[in-house]
């Protein structure tokens, strides 16, 4: 996992089987997500279901101690929760554009594609390499919005040029330090479905 610490992300093929992806999608389809006893964000082109490990049997079955412990040791952080994410065609992708999840304290997550997502049109994840490091020009952007979650709207065109696409097939995963600048691209083909495993660094999430 040298790349993760050097450039802020690492891609891993076939972290989970395609059949597990299909089981998770099937579990979601069976539930009335509007009336779930958990936080559900229903946005213009995105649905997020928080604490998916509590409500979807296939997610709970996947996230055993045996599965999670190597990553907890790698990150030095305990698993906190899982979000199921579904993005439909629209003008804004997952996360609402370029942003950091945290500014100063490393925070790790694992994004696992549940559907094939190999292009920007399918909403692939995108990251600015090395934007997580402490000594670079990107670090100056952490002070650009001191009282809100940083979203870099004025710099969109520049960041679009610098970003690296991280598309993959169902079951592929991206290990990422979300102190770095990243986004999910807007979708124009199909729906992008994924789960994201968050690891706890003591930061409260919005």
């Amino acid at each position: 996992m040298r790349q993760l610490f050097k450039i802020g992300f690492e891609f891993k093929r076939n972290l989970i089987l395609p059949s597990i992806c299909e089981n998770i999608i099937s579990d979601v389809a069976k539930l009335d997500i509007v009336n779930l006893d958990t936080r559900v964000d229903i946005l213009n082109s995105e649905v997020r279901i928080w604490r998916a490990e509590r409500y979807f049997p296939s997610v709970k079955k996947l996230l055993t101690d045996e599965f999670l412990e190597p990553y907890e040791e790698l990150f030095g952080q305990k698993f906190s929760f899982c979000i199921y994410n579904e993005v439909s065609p629209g003008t804004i992708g997952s996360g609402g554009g370029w942003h950091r999840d945290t500014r100063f304290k490393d925070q790790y997550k694992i994004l696992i594609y549940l559907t094939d997502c190999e292009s920007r049109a399918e909403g692939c994840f995108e990251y600015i390499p090395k934007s997580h490091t402490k000594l670079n020009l990107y670090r100056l952007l952490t002070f650009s919005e001191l009282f809100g979650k940083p979203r870099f709207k004025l710099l969109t065109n520049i960041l679009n040029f610098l970003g690296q696409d991280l598309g993959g097939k169902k079951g592929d995963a991206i290990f990422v330090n979300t102190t770095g600048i990243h986004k999910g691209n807007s979708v124009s083909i199909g729906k992008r479905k994924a789960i994201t495993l968050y690891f706890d660094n003591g930061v409260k999430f919005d």
Side-chain angles (χ1 to χ4, degrees):
M1 284 287 172
R2 291 181 181 178
Q3 271 199 318
L4 174 63
F5 301 107
K6 183 177 180 180
I7 63 175
F9 64 85
E10 187 141 346
F11 187 83
K12 185 172 179 62
R13 295 278 182 195
N14 304 312
L15 183 68
I16 65 174
L17 295 171
S19 59
I20 296 175
C21 300
E22 291 157 10
N23 289 340
I24 295 172
I25 292 171
S26 177
D27 282 350
V28 174
K30 293 173 185 175
L31 291 180
D32 178 6
I33 64 171
V34 175
N35 294 312
L36 281 180
D37 185 24
T38 189
R39 176 175 168 178
V40 178
D41 300 330
I42 301 178
L43 310 174
N44 289 335
S45 57
E46 181 178 12
V47 174
R48 294 192 207 115
I49 303 173
W50 294 59
R51 308 286 178 185
E53 70 278 9
R54 296 182 182 176
Y55 298 94
F56 306 126
S58 50
V59 176
K60 184 177 181 179
K61 184 178 179 180
L62 170 67
L63 301 182
T64 61
D65 290 343
E66 184 180 5
F67 179 86
L68 291 169
E69 281 174 359
Y71 307 125
E72 292 177 328
E73 184 176 346
L74 175 68
F75 303 146
Q77 299 175 0
K78 287 288 187 181
F79 169 73
S80 183
F81 59 89
C82 173
I83 289 180
Y84 169 83
N85 167 265
E86 183 172 312
V87 184
S88 301
T91 57
I92 299 176
S94 178
W98 290 111
H99 66 282
R100 302 181 193 273
D101 286 5
T102 62
R103 289 188 188 85
F104 302 108
K105 195 172 181 181
D106 288 340
Q107 190 268 322
Y108 294 97
K109 67 183 182 184
I110 303 173
L111 182 149
I112 305 173
Y113 289 125
L114 302 179
T115 53
D116 290 347
C117 187
E118 299 181 272
S119 67
R120 290 189 179 186
E122 293 170 305
C124 73
F125 186 80
E126 197 170 352
Y127 194 92
I128 307 293
K130 298 186 178 181
S131 60
H132 70 299
T133 58
K134 301 297 187 286
L135 299 175
N136 62 45
L137 292 175
Y138 299 115
R139 186 52 50 183
L140 297 175
L141 298 176
T142 60
F143 300 97
S144 64
E145 295 182 30
L146 292 177
F147 302 102
K149 197 169 186 178
R151 309 251 171 214
F152 307 113
K153 295 177 182 177
L154 296 177
L155 300 172
T156 294
N157 289 337
I158 296 173
L159 295 175
N160 285 344
F161 177 75
L162 296 171
Q164 182 170 335
D165 293 350
L166 295 169
K169 290 185 173 295
K170 65 172 69 173
D172 292 345
I174 304 160
F175 293 68
V176 58
N177 183 335
T178 59
T179 310
I181 301 170
H182 62 281
K183 71 171 182 175
N185 280 289
S186 59
V187 173
S188 58
I189 299 174
K191 289 185 178 182
R192 194 201 83 170
K193 300 178 183 181
I195 55 171
T196 304
L197 316 184
Y198 288 81
F199 293 78
D200 184 17
N201 69 348
V203 173
K204 291 184 178 179
F205 292 89
D206 297 333

